[in-house]
Amino acid sequence: LVQPVTPTEVLEAIYQLLLPIQEKDAKVMVVDDDPTVLKILTHLLQPWGVRVTCLDNPQQFWEVLKSTEPDLLLLDLEMPTFNGIELCQVVRQDPKYGDLPILVVTAHNDRQSTQKVFAAGADDMISKPIVGPELVTRVISRIERSRLRQQLDYLHQQQAAIWQQQARIDPLTQIPNRRALEEFLQQQWQQLIQEQETLCLILCDVDHFKNYNDFYGHPAGDICLKQIAKTIQECIKSSDLAARYGGEEFAIILPKTSLDGALRVAQRIQQKISQLQIPHERSKIKNYVTISMGITGKIPTPEQSFDSLIAIADEALYTAKNRGRNTYCL
Ligand code: GH3
Ligand code: MG
Ligand code: MG
Ligand code: MG
Ligand code: MG
């Protein structure tokens, strides 16, 4: 199941991203074979709160990139060994750094060079001789835009995670729903085929619940279902999974549990639900809410699917109902 994300966590992360550059230093990595240019660029950018990492030898490019994790790259076009265009191309192909803002600094501003620079995937070009204010605005606005983009990506990711999470939760009881149950069951079935361990399943059904709704009303029925779901949750281990299987039916999956162990869990659930003493005047068995259960367990085999486990538990539940309800059957 997806790890829950609280709205506070989302806001906290957005706030971190929103901090202005001056407060949360931007990092720029400059690659240029000319030490004078490195010095000039550093002096221009530093007063704006930008931390500048200089590299005069492209051979160490990846090493320095990984240790710096910059917000933006400033690449010289003409360098011995790797030139700026080659560097730009390899960065763009990298899965991690592919989106990194890249500005190419060059003395060549003829049409062909410009074309090459943009074809290599650079975001912008800065011509030499460097004009201070122009460099600063281009660098800072690129970084701000890229941070805004990161922030939006983050929001989308969070939204997707929340939707994924909600698709597996029953809105009434706030416990996993049938979709989550089937996913977990399928996954455990495969795993326990490998491990040759027992997988147990308990199906629970509230007794005479139609009568309950008819007498106490549907809203009261909803409250009753919530209480039952909560009680079942409290009776299982974190490695088990309890889900709302249907209307007033719940299912519990117990991986690596013996049938004996599952039986004890069922007994505990039955006892705890009786102890709730939810009044049920129209029950034909007791004057409070009770449940019936079908229990089954087996070592999964590749020839069968988890449906076979559900079918057997369902039959056992049917037997429990026929034996007068408020009981469990194997
Ligand atoms: P049995 O002991 O044989 O299980 O009898 P029963 O009345 O519990 O079984 P039946 O299947 O006839 O009725 C189930 C009832 O559960 C009918 C339906 O209205 C009620 N139910 C299903 N989902 C909900 C729900 O979300 N909220 C409420 N309040 N009632 C629900
Ligand atoms: Mg050069
Ligand atoms: Mg039912
Ligand atoms: Mg019922
Ligand atoms: Mg019925």
Side-chain angles (χ1 to χ4, degrees):
L1 283 170
V2 187
Q3 208 52 23
V5 194
T6 66
T8 327
E9 282 172 325
V10 176
L11 286 177
E12 182 65 27
I14 293 170
Y15 177 72
Q16 287 300 323
L17 287 167
L18 274 175
L19 289 178
I21 288 176
Q22 279 81 357
E23 283 176 46
K24 192 189 164 200
D25 294 32
K27 286 181 283 181
V28 170
M29 179 175 157
V30 190
V31 190
D32 200 307
D33 59 321
D34 183 347
T36 320
V37 174
L38 290 177
K39 218 176 260 175
I40 293 171
L41 289 173
T42 307
H43 281 129
L44 284 171
L45 291 168
Q46 260 174 355
W48 296 89
V50 176
R51 277 186 281 156
V52 183
T53 304
C54 295
L55 179 67
D56 59 9
N57 179 6
Q59 303 270 7
Q60 290 152 10
F61 179 74
W62 286 104
E63 206 184 309
V64 177
L65 181 71
K66 280 173 188 162
S67 62
T68 312
E69 294 287 346
D71 295 286
L72 181 140
L73 270 179
L74 270 175
L75 302 178
D76 182 24
L77 187 67
E78 292 289 344
M79 288 183 287
T81 63
F82 305 102
N83 66 40
I85 286 184
E86 286 166 334
L87 281 183
C88 189
Q89 280 167 337
V90 289
V91 173
R92 282 290 174 255
Q93 277 158 26
D94 188 86
K96 185 174 172 197
Y97 298 99
D99 286 335
L100 195 60
I102 302 176
L103 307 191
V104 172
V105 184
T106 177
H108 306 271
N109 40 20
D110 56 289
R111 196 186 284 181
Q112 220 183 11
S113 303
T114 309
Q115 217 167 21
K116 269 193 200 163
V117 167
F118 284 102
D123 292 296
D124 204 355
M125 250 174 109
I126 290 169
S127 12
K128 286 181 187 173
I130 293 158
V131 180
E134 187 194 323
L135 171 91
V136 171
T137 41
R138 282 186 193 225
V139 166
I140 299 228
S141 69
R142 268 298 151 189
I143 294 174
E144 274 171 352
R145 264 226 275 164
S146 133
R147 286 193 173 176
L148 195 68
R149 168 98 239 163
Q150 282 173 33
Q151 191 184 321
L152 285 175
D153 286 351
Y154 179 80
L155 271 178
H156 287 145
Q157 272 172 24
Q158 292 305 316
Q159 188 62 258
I162 289 165
W163 281 336
Q164 256 202 341
Q165 199 176 308
Q166 280 175 348
R168 282 160 184 77
I169 299 281
D170 169 53
L172 176 69
T173 60
Q174 293 296 313
I175 70 169
N177 61 14
R178 185 171 177 157
R179 182 197 299 246
L181 173 106
E182 285 175 353
E183 261 178 33
F184 185 72
L185 198 49
Q186 164 70 10
Q187 178 202 323
Q188 290 300 318
W189 187 267
Q190 292 309 323
Q191 190 172 330
L192 300 186
I193 288 174
Q194 305 300 319
E195 296 181 28
Q196 285 293 290
E197 293 238 35
T198 308
L199 182 59
C200 283
L201 174 70
I202 305 172
L203 279 184
C204 311
D205 186 291
V206 185
D207 296 324
H208 298 303
F209 197 58
K210 193 187 171 312
N211 291 352
Y212 186 93
N213 271 324
D214 290 348
F215 188 71
Y216 296 97
H218 212 267
D222 285 354
I223 294 170
C224 176
L225 291 176
K226 283 195 216 182
Q227 282 178 283
I228 290 171
K230 186 166 176 276
T231 307
I232 293 174
Q233 281 280 50
E234 285 164 1
C235 290
I236 62 165
K237 289 192 294 183
S238 61
S239 51
D240 303 332
L241 182 111
R244 187 172 178 201
Y245 191 63
E248 27 79 85
E249 284 177 34
F250 297 89
I252 302 133
I253 304 166
L254 309 111
K256 297 190 194 183
T257 306
S258 65
L259 209 50
D260 243 26
L263 213 77
R264 280 195 298 275
V265 172
Q267 285 167 339
R268 194 156 69 228
I269 291 170
Q270 189 142 50
Q271 191 192 2
K272 292 284 178 198
I273 286 174
S274 295
Q275 281 169 358
L276 289 175
Q277 288 287 309
I278 303 169
H280 190 351
E281 261 190 58
R282 296 295 154 98
S283 168
K284 292 167 186 158
I285 320 142
K286 301 275 182 192
N287 57 1
Y288 53 87
V289 169
T290 59
I291 57 164
S292 299
M293 286 179 280
I295 309 163
T296 189
K298 66 154 85 171
I299 298 174
T301 62
E303 293 77 36
Q304 288 177 303
S305 86
F306 65 81
D307 291 335
S308 60
L309 205 65
I310 297 179
I312 300 167
D314 207 39
E315 250 173 66
L317 172 62
Y318 188 74
T319 313
K321 290 282 183 187
N322 279 336
R323 289 197 187 153
R325 297 176 171 78
N326 190 26
T327 188
Y328 50 82
C329 277
L330 290 171

